[in-house]
Amino acid sequence: MGGETSSKLVAAESDYPKLVSRPVGKQIRSIYKGRINQFTDGGQYRENGLMGRMYEGRVSDDHVKLQYYSVPNLARPSFKEAMKAAEWKDTRKGTAFGPSWSTHWFKIKIAVPKELQKKEHLEFHWDAQNEGLIYTEKGEVVHGLTGGGERIEWILPEIYRDGKEHLFYIEMACNRMFGNADGDTIQPPNPNHYFPLNTADIVAVNLEARQLYIDYWIIGDAAREFPQDGWESHKATQICNRIMDTFIASGGSQESIKKGREIAREYIGDVNSHKVYDSGKEPIIYGIGHCHIDTCWLWPWDETKRKVARSWSNQCDLMDRYPEHKFTCSQAQQYKWLETLYPSLFDRVKQKVKEGRFNPIGGSWVEHDTNMPSGESLVRQFLYGQRFFESHFGERCKTFWLPDTFGYSTQLPQLCRLAGMERFFTQKLSWNNINNFPHTTFNWVSLDGSQVLCHMTPAETYTASAHFGDVKRSVTQHKSMDEDNTSLLVFGKGDGGGGPTWEHLEKLRRCRGVSDNTGLLPRVEVGHTVEDFFDQLQEKAANGTDFVTWYGELYFELHRGTYTTQANNKWNNRKTEILMHDLEMLSTLATIKDSSYKYPKKEIDDMWEGILLCQFHDCLPGSSIEMCYDDSDKIYAGVFKSGEKLIKKALDALGFDEHAPGSPAYGLNLLPWEREEVVKVARKGKSEKTTVMRGDQGIAQEQETESRVSLHETSSGVYVISNDDLRVRIDRGIITSIYDKNEEREVIREGEKAHQFVIFDDKPLYWQAWDVEVFHLQSREELSGGKTTIGEDGPHRVSIKTEFQISEQSWLKTEIGLSSSIKGQPTTIEMKTEVEWHEDKKFLKVEFPVDIVNTEASYETQYGIIRRPTHYNTTWDMAKFEVCCHKWADLSENGYGVSILNDSKYGFATCGNMMRLSLLRAPKAPDAHADMGHHTIKYAILPHAGPLDSRTVRAAYNFNHPMRVLTADENTSSAIFKAVTLTGSKSLILDAIKRGEDDEDVSRGELPKRKGRSVIVRVYDSLGGMSRGAIKWNEDLLDVKKVYATNILEDDGEEVKFKGGEAAIKLRPFEVATFRLQL
């Protein structure tokens, strides 16, 4: 068959045996793979496997002497305070300490016995199933403890090997990492939990066994998680079984453990140091150490302060042991707490920041909610956050970091850019329970067209455990592979604090080893920063990569109940935001009029910091335990008290007073347009007088008006109230007709009822305080009105009161009022509802079925308007069955519309023609008493001819900023109130007037002072069109030398030309613009 032939064949020598030595069967893969778990199992085979070789020695009682001091009254004293007050008592392991939230200090004296002194690695293990913090004898923070088997170890200093007695202290906090609930974590905490001290031991650790444990863990994951038809999974299975066989063959000797590590290297290579990342091979996953600490949640504020110290001290320690470890953490508030309460630890953090190892991020005061804070509050989150980071660490943050907030409002990209940040990181939309968000890396676009580069980690967590699977999912769940394949892997214990552990860092070394030596696993690298990651993304964008765009809000399809839960907290938020607007404006004017008046910068800063703290994403949304709202109530009470005191002081400087009968009364209008309002004026020795005040920005005076309002009863319990614009029919608290006289049309859909209170069964799938699910709408139940009486019957205002019984425990009383018509202002029908609420998992709403047809409704958001569907065409539309709004929601068609205004509510829904305002919920977890008690709620109906326009925007401002009634001498000048005004397009809103942060007469010295004085003016377009106007000032009061456009951090930008006390401005649609008037 071709080729040469030979008559003689010579057999080649071979090592392959001629005769079979024994039968060899095919491994049953499921069995050998299942066997892998035995080696590191903590169950029945624990002592026969690797876990039984983890420690080379352990001593306790005779070598660990314990004394304790129980702090009374659930106080949390500092180290110095505790040492001063302590009366030490002897104790021992097995003793239980409590109750919940109490603090106990331990004086611990240890002496390492001779048999352990030369062991390779010594640790002190402490576990009482709760959190703790280790201090040196001198009171320096050393190390945080988690408890419950996690982070219970502290590496003993070398000096402790001398056999002598050494002293240190542990502060025990009687709470777990996630609070004190029994069983289900989000249930209300048990106030009487006690924690047994189970472990207080000196331990000699077998480091080779510990390292083999991590080797084996990752290789075992490869066996389980790599494709089962690939050689990589099969080889991992064989490696694990060889390690086990070697261990068994030598009876679990130390040599067998070392041999096991050699076998492991066949799969993962040399992973014993950070040099594993020096292979020169390009990574696509950036491992970022991170510690998310909820500023409050299942624990109160004061416990968070200790969590920060526990968590960050551990990270500083890890950085000393793992050169590759870089750690990022946000929230300026937490840094300030650390600086105040733990100054030496703060200095250690500052040094790590200087080294580039500890990376502050986020640029905001806290990781705040973005749905409900006002636009100005969002500005202040960035202003106070960035100023703190710059003043303490020398630079501002470049990336807005908000991984756990419940949705992201549409103007955030613009505000981020105005705060010096071009990047945004989150992951929360991975929790959506209806639609799967389609992008990982994309350009997020604001209402005004501003954009930020956004990345949502494909691992879909900000608390990754650095598992093999986390690395794998960083590619398999990446949704932007067409544009870029890189991603962030954010790892470390979180929510309750903690951050990365040594195990996390060791596992990632091995994951990198798998990638470089075996392949298939995406290559991860630790040692870069978040900014490094975004830098390479922006470089790609600059070189032509077109990242996809997402316009508008990042609506979170979960936690919709947070727009309503904890109503009192939300009321406090809205009212303090308004208070700060008034205080800053009046204080600024006072500094202009009276050179001896000092702008109360410290007090204003303290108040803002309190408000911003309460906007944390588990506080303002209502998803924290009751203790947190006890705390926030105190903060708000302090803000109200300080604010009113300072406003009085500013008014005194301006020549005015509040509530001083006898002098002429005026209305104070701090909004930048003329308005008329029915107000009540106190009269000395007489009852209050109802009158009409009218005026432009500044002082409003009492007006005579020919317009009147009328009331008459048509039948029992049925009333008609009317003015020149509207006629309203009320049947026992329900509005059956609103007739617009000018437009000759009915506002309410025929046969339907407005101002109808409805109650729903409210049992979400799991997250009680957080969620309301679409199926709750199926349980709608109408409430019927009862006793109806006349509330007010005067020439300027009439009202009807009706009582409703909700249940045996709950009731409401509602008052529907109508004032006389106001020329140039649309008429509103105002409601004031008092609710005594004691329900269980119920949801109270009020409905307005209007005779309007549109597939979209409009809602006020920060600095703009967002339009959302009124239908359920798609699952994306249906998902928005409950949405967030600010001061108003509107449904309009061509030629006519209806707006619903509110003074403190955020939850709303428009389904078809039904407009529904959410009032109160009654979840029982994590706060068993959420919303229980008395509530006062104000809202209004505003019918309007024509489209949605400035009338609704201004009416909602008016509704939320009622005039203050002042008294003053008749000769007092009111010109000061028009020192700075805004003219031009009615869509322009003058939203803030304040002093410059670093003016030399205002600055507190945290950043360099600016020469001279300045007034900061913030303006925005509220309707979504190019708007022209002018900032004007009274040249007799203000000597303006220059005008600058600034960002929200008050950095000067372009100089703005002006003439004759007037600077022309032009804003693009929904633009937020800030200007400095330099005096």
Side-chain angles (χ1 to χ4, degrees):
M1 294 178 65
E4 297 181 2
T5 62
S6 172
S7 59
K8 186 177 182 180
L9 296 176
V10 179
E13 292 186 5
S14 171
D15 292 332
Y16 179 67
K18 179 179 180 180
L19 300 176
V20 68
S21 62
R22 58 184 172 82
V24 178
K26 178 179 175 61
Q27 287 187 2
I28 307 303
R29 179 158 170 72
S30 61
I31 293 175
Y32 281 81
K33 192 171 70 169
R35 180 197 185 206
I36 292 173
N37 294 332
Q38 284 187 0
F39 191 48
T40 52
D41 190 282
Q44 63 177 332
Y45 299 121
R46 186 184 188 283
E47 295 305 315
N48 306 115
L50 185 60
M51 300 306 290
R53 304 296 187 274
M54 281 291 179
Y55 305 115
E56 298 177 322
R58 178 184 294 266
V59 296
S60 182
D61 297 337
D62 293 338
H63 303 278
V64 180
K65 298 176 182 177
L66 303 174
Q67 290 183 304
Y68 77 99
Y69 161 60
S70 294
V71 180
N73 303 319
L74 303 185
R76 294 176 174 86
S78 67
F79 177 86
K80 185 178 294 186
E81 291 167 339
M83 295 305 105
K84 185 177 180 180
E87 296 180 0
W88 299 105
K89 299 178 181 178
D90 292 339
T91 189
R92 60 185 298 154
K93 288 196 304 183
T95 305
F97 295 88
S100 303
W101 312 117
S102 62
T103 296
H104 306 268
W105 284 85
F106 292 83
K107 179 189 286 187
I108 302 171
K109 296 178 181 179
I110 67 171
V112 177
K114 186 174 182 179
E115 65 269 21
L116 297 185
Q117 290 172 17
K118 292 187 179 180
K119 295 294 184 181
E120 181 183 9
H121 186 82
L122 297 180
E123 295 177 349
F124 180 72
H125 287 194
W126 175 275
D127 194 353
Q129 308 292 312
N130 57 19
E131 294 190 87
L133 186 59
I134 301 176
Y135 289 79
T136 66
E137 184 176 0
K138 295 181 179 179
E140 300 296 323
V141 172
V142 176
H143 193 75
L145 301 163
T146 299
E150 291 190 7
R151 213 182 314 249
I152 63 171
E153 74 285 346
W154 171 47
I155 300 174
L156 292 178
E158 284 297 310
I159 194 173
Y160 279 40
R161 295 175 179 270
D162 61 6
K164 298 179 181 178
E165 196 169 70
H166 295 271
L167 170 66
F168 60 92
Y169 296 88
I170 290 181
E171 177 194 34
M172 174 192 285
C174 284
N175 52 266
R176 304 184 194 92
M177 179 69 83
F178 291 97
N180 277 313
D182 288 333
D184 189 351
T185 302
I186 69 165
Q187 293 305 306
N190 176 357
N192 293 304
H193 198 87
Y194 282 75
F195 298 85
L197 176 57
N198 296 322
T199 305
D201 303 341
I202 302 170
V203 180
V205 178
N206 184 342
L207 285 184
E208 284 288 350
R210 181 178 279 181
Q211 291 295 314
L212 178 58
Y213 174 80
I214 306 296
D215 294 343
Y216 191 87
W217 184 346
I218 295 302
I219 299 171
D221 281 348
R224 288 180 287 266
E225 297 195 36
F226 270 155
Q228 297 303 294
D229 59 355
W231 66 267
E232 297 90 347
S233 172
H234 286 266
K235 183 175 180 180
T237 303
Q238 295 306 307
I239 291 286
C240 287
N241 276 272
R242 283 174 57 199
I243 291 171
M244 289 183 71
D245 291 340
T246 301
F247 182 87
I248 292 168
S250 63
S253 69
Q254 190 68 12
E255 283 303 312
S256 72
I257 292 172
K258 292 179 179 179
K259 180 61 177 175
R261 294 214 68 208
E262 292 176 10
I263 296 169
R265 277 195 286 273
E266 297 177 23
Y267 200 84
I268 60 176
D270 185 356
V271 294
N272 287 333
S273 77
H274 64 286
K275 293 181 180 179
V276 68
Y277 298 114
D278 295 342
S279 66
K281 297 178 181 179
E282 191 70 21
I284 61 171
I285 301 167
Y286 290 64
I288 303 295
H290 174 241
C291 175
H292 177 68
I293 306 176
D294 283 317
T295 304
C296 71
W297 181 30
L298 304 176
W299 51 87
W301 307 116
D302 284 345
E303 195 54 47
T304 305
K305 298 169 186 177
R306 301 199 293 193
K307 284 176 176 285
V308 172
R310 291 191 283 260
S311 302
W312 294 4
S313 61
N314 289 351
Q315 298 314 307
C316 290
D317 174 62
L318 281 176
M319 289 174 202
D320 293 337
R321 294 156 54 197
Y322 290 87
E324 72 268 34
H325 182 38
K326 291 188 177 179
F327 173 74
T328 196
C329 209
S330 64
Q331 307 196 73
Q333 173 69 86
Q334 295 184 6
Y335 287 85
K336 183 175 181 178
W337 281 337
L338 192 74
E339 179 187 29
T340 303
L341 301 174
Y342 304 92
S344 63
L345 178 55
F346 183 75
D347 289 341
R348 192 177 176 195
V349 167
K350 283 188 73 173
Q351 180 58 38
K352 297 299 183 185
V353 172
K354 187 176 181 180
E355 295 169 6
R357 309 285 303 285
F358 197 119
N359 306 128
I361 200 167
S364 58
W365 190 248
V366 294
E367 287 190 12
H368 52 91
D369 177 73
T370 77
N371 289 310
M372 290 168 283
S374 68
E376 191 61 30
S377 285
L378 294 183
V379 166
R380 300 310 174 95
Q381 286 286 352
F382 292 134
L383 178 69
Y384 281 88
Q386 289 286 49
R387 285 177 64 81
F388 184 92
F389 291 126
E390 182 180 7
S391 63
H392 287 77
F393 304 118
E395 54 184 49
R396 297 169 177 170
C397 300
K398 298 177 182 178
T399 299
F400 185 33
W401 185 269
L402 213 58
D404 193 31
T405 293
F406 313 149
Y408 305 92
S409 58
T410 185
Q411 285 285 49
L412 281 176
Q414 180 181 185
L415 297 180
C416 283
R417 297 305 294 260
L418 291 171
M421 294 181 286
E422 300 176 342
R423 300 104 176 251
F424 176 52
F425 172 84
T426 185
Q427 65 80 50
K428 198 65 176 183
L429 267 61
S430 67
W431 284 38
N432 280 2
N433 71 345
I434 295 179
N435 298 288
N436 189 8
F437 190 77
H439 309 304
T440 291
T441 303
F442 58 98
N443 293 309
W444 181 24
V445 184
S446 193
L447 283 176
D448 76 316
S450 300
Q451 66 176 357
V452 291
L453 186 55
C454 181
H455 179 74
M456 298 187 183
T457 172
E460 298 187 346
T461 180
Y462 53 90
T463 59
S465 296
H467 290 317
F468 182 99
D470 292 321
V471 175
K472 181 183 173 187
R473 285 187 290 274
S474 295
V475 166
T476 60
Q477 295 180 169
H478 199 301
K479 302 167 188 170
S480 299
M481 285 291 189
D482 291 336
E483 295 80 42
D484 181 70
N485 64 357
T486 62
S487 66
L488 286 175
L489 175 60
V490 182
F491 66 94
K493 303 286 184 180
D495 291 333
T501 66
W502 66 266
E503 284 187 343
H504 294 156
L505 293 162
E506 293 286 356
K507 283 190 286 182
L508 288 175
R509 285 180 178 181
R510 285 151 180 82
C511 287
R512 177 57 179 263
V514 171
S515 302
D516 286 348
N517 289 273
T518 299
L520 197 58
L521 187 66
R523 190 168 287 111
V524 64
E525 185 159 320
V526 178
H528 290 293
T529 66
V530 173
E531 305 311 334
D532 293 335
F533 170 74
F534 276 106
D535 283 345
Q536 58 92 28
L537 287 180
Q538 287 190 260
E539 183 179 354
K540 290 171 182 174
N543 291 328
T545 298
D546 283 332
F547 291 106
V548 299
T549 54
W550 183 274
Y551 285 78
E553 69 178 329
L554 295 173
Y555 178 83
F556 184 39
E557 296 178 1
L558 203 66
H559 295 3
R560 303 168 186 86
T562 60
Y563 312 144
T564 305
T565 307
Q566 298 287 2
N568 184 61
N569 209 49
K570 292 170 169 60
W571 187 93
N572 283 333
N573 177 71
R574 180 81 63 87
K575 300 308 178 185
T576 53
E577 289 174 334
I578 292 168
L579 179 74
M580 296 307 294
H581 167 276
D582 294 354
L583 171 59
E584 289 183 324
M585 182 176 179
L586 292 170
S587 298
T588 299
L589 297 177
T591 64
I592 293 170
K593 181 179 180 181
D594 185 352
S595 60
S596 66
Y597 174 86
K598 182 169 176 57
Y599 191 77
K601 182 66 165 62
K602 180 184 183 303
E603 292 86 349
I604 286 174
D605 287 347
D606 290 344
M607 293 163 69
W608 265 120
E609 288 178 11
I611 294 167
L612 301 178
L613 171 60
C614 293
Q615 290 172 350
F616 177 72
H617 69 253
D618 275 308
C619 183
L620 181 55
S623 49
S624 291
I625 61 172
E626 187 173 10
M627 295 173 74
C628 298
Y629 297 105
D630 294 339
D631 289 345
S632 65
D633 285 348
K634 292 175 185 176
I635 291 173
Y636 283 126
V639 171
F640 283 122
K641 183 178 179 180
S642 296
E644 292 300 332
K645 180 180 178 181
L646 293 170
I647 283 176
K648 184 180 187 306
K649 188 174 181 180
L651 287 171
D652 287 344
L654 294 169
F656 291 84
D657 194 3
E658 287 189 277
H659 313 303
S663 298
Y666 302 94
L668 179 59
N669 173 25
L670 296 183
L671 296 176
W673 48 73
E674 186 178 46
R675 61 193 279 210
E676 186 173 302
E677 188 172 307
V678 176
V679 300
K680 294 184 183 296
V681 178
R683 297 184 295 177
K684 190 173 183 179
K686 299 180 181 179
S687 60
E688 286 184 322
K689 172 187 175 183
T690 300
T691 188
V692 176
M693 295 281 188
R694 187 179 186 90
D696 205 341
Q697 176 178 314
I699 294 303
Q701 295 182 324
E702 189 171 348
Q703 300 288 315
E704 289 295 330
T705 176
E706 295 180 0
S707 176
R708 291 290 183 267
V709 62
S710 65
L711 175 156
H712 64 275
E713 186 175 14
T714 61
S715 60
S716 178
V718 181
Y719 293 83
V720 173
I721 57 177
S722 65
N723 61 15
D724 295 342
D725 298 328
L726 299 176
R727 183 174 67 243
V728 184
R729 185 175 186 272
I730 304 167
D731 185 351
R732 291 173 180 80
I734 307 300
I735 297 175
T736 56
S737 172
I738 301 175
Y739 185 75
D740 187 325
K741 298 178 180 180
N742 299 316
E743 296 301 308
E744 298 182 344
R745 68 174 287 168
E746 175 61 47
V747 176
I748 304 303
R749 179 75 63 87
E750 184 178 358
E752 299 194 42
K753 298 174 290 185
H755 198 236
Q756 173 66 63
F757 293 103
V758 288
I759 196 163
F760 300 86
D761 190 70
D762 188 17
K763 299 185 182 73
L765 297 177
Y766 176 68
W767 300 96
Q768 284 194 42
W770 294 259
D771 288 351
V772 57
E773 296 291 358
V774 67
F775 53 73
H776 86 286
L777 296 170
Q778 298 165 213
S779 63
R780 177 181 178 275
E781 179 183 345
E782 293 184 358
L783 299 181
S784 298
K787 181 181 177 182
T788 301
T789 58
I790 296 172
E792 193 172 354
D793 190 4
H796 304 300
R797 177 178 166 80
V798 297
S799 68
I800 303 298
K801 293 183 176 180
T802 303
E803 298 177 6
F804 288 76
Q805 194 69 36
I806 300 171
S807 67
E808 291 184 4
Q809 301 82 23
S810 304
W811 52 261
L812 67 83
K813 298 177 181 178
T814 188
E815 182 177 7
I816 303 174
L818 186 67
S819 298
S820 53
S821 300
I822 299 172
K823 187 177 180 180
Q825 289 180 212
T827 291
T828 59
I829 307 161
E830 297 186 2
M831 292 81 170
K832 178 181 178 182
T833 298
E834 304 278 343
V835 186
E836 187 67 28
W837 184 246
H838 298 283
E839 295 303 293
D840 182 0
K841 304 178 191 70
K842 299 293 183 181
F843 201 152
L844 179 67
K845 306 186 185 187
V846 62
E847 296 180 338
F848 304 94
V850 295
D851 196 12
I852 301 291
V853 177
N854 200 327
T855 57
E856 287 186 326
S858 299
Y859 304 85
E860 187 190 39
T861 186
Q862 300 98 340
Y863 297 131
I865 299 170
I866 185 165
R867 293 176 175 85
R868 300 181 177 110
T870 62
H871 55 78
Y872 295 163
N873 282 3
T874 70
T875 55
W876 292 90
D877 300 323
M878 188 187 71
K880 296 177 181 178
F881 62 85
E882 181 85 3
V883 298
C884 185
C885 76
H886 278 233
K887 297 186 291 295
W888 57 264
D890 181 86
L891 184 62
S892 292
E893 62 189 22
N894 182 38
Y896 204 84
V898 177
S899 301
I900 305 297
L901 317 181
N902 74 82
D903 81 329
S904 61
K905 295 297 165 186
Y906 297 92
F908 207 92
T910 307
C911 182
N913 72 304
M914 179 65 77
M915 306 179 76
R916 188 181 290 123
L917 178 65
S918 297
L919 301 181
L920 293 169
R921 297 185 69 224
K924 299 305 174 187
D927 177 1
H929 305 107
D931 284 321
M932 298 298 99
H934 197 79
H935 301 269
T936 301
I937 307 165
K938 296 179 181 180
Y939 46 97
I941 308 172
L942 171 62
H944 58 84
L948 168 66
D949 58 22
S950 61
R951 292 169 298 171
T952 289
V953 175
R954 291 186 174 191
Y957 266 95
N958 294 346
F959 190 67
N960 279 269
H961 293 251
M963 288 186 186
R964 290 174 176 264
V965 177
L966 308 177
T967 57
D969 185 272
E970 291 180 348
N971 297 320
T972 301
S973 171
S974 62
I976 186 63
F977 291 104
K978 294 186 180 180
V980 180
T981 58
L982 178 68
T983 62
S985 171
K986 289 186 176 181
S987 65
L988 291 175
I989 304 293
L990 175 56
D991 202 45
I993 297 176
K994 63 184 288 291
R995 290 295 307 277
E997 290 291 313
D998 297 310
D999 289 355
E1000 58 187 359
D1001 65 325
V1002 168
S1003 170
R1004 298 175 65 194
E1006 63 267 46
L1007 290 172
K1009 294 182 180 181
R1010 295 176 57 94
K1011 290 184 178 180
R1013 302 192 303 162
S1014 66
V1015 175
I1016 301 296
V1017 178
R1018 191 142 27 249
V1019 181
Y1020 74 96
D1021 167 64
S1022 63
L1023 293 175
M1026 186 178 71
S1027 299
R1028 288 186 171 90
I1031 298 171
K1032 292 186 175 183
W1033 54 91
N1034 186 327
E1035 292 185 288
D1036 293 332
L1037 297 171
L1038 289 176
D1039 180 16
V1040 177
K1041 295 181 172 60
K1042 291 185 177 182
V1043 178
Y1044 295 96
T1046 78
N1047 57 20
I1048 62 176
L1049 304 182
E1050 301 181 13
D1051 300 323
D1052 289 345
E1054 292 184 4
E1055 189 171 343
V1056 179
K1057 295 180 180 180
F1058 66 92
K1059 183 179 180 180
E1062 181 175 329
I1065 62 173
K1066 182 175 73 173
L1067 273 64
R1068 64 183 179 272
F1070 294 123
E1071 181 181 3
V1072 181
T1074 307
F1075 300 92
R1076 181 193 305 278
L1077 308 183
Q1078 187 66 49
L1079 309 183

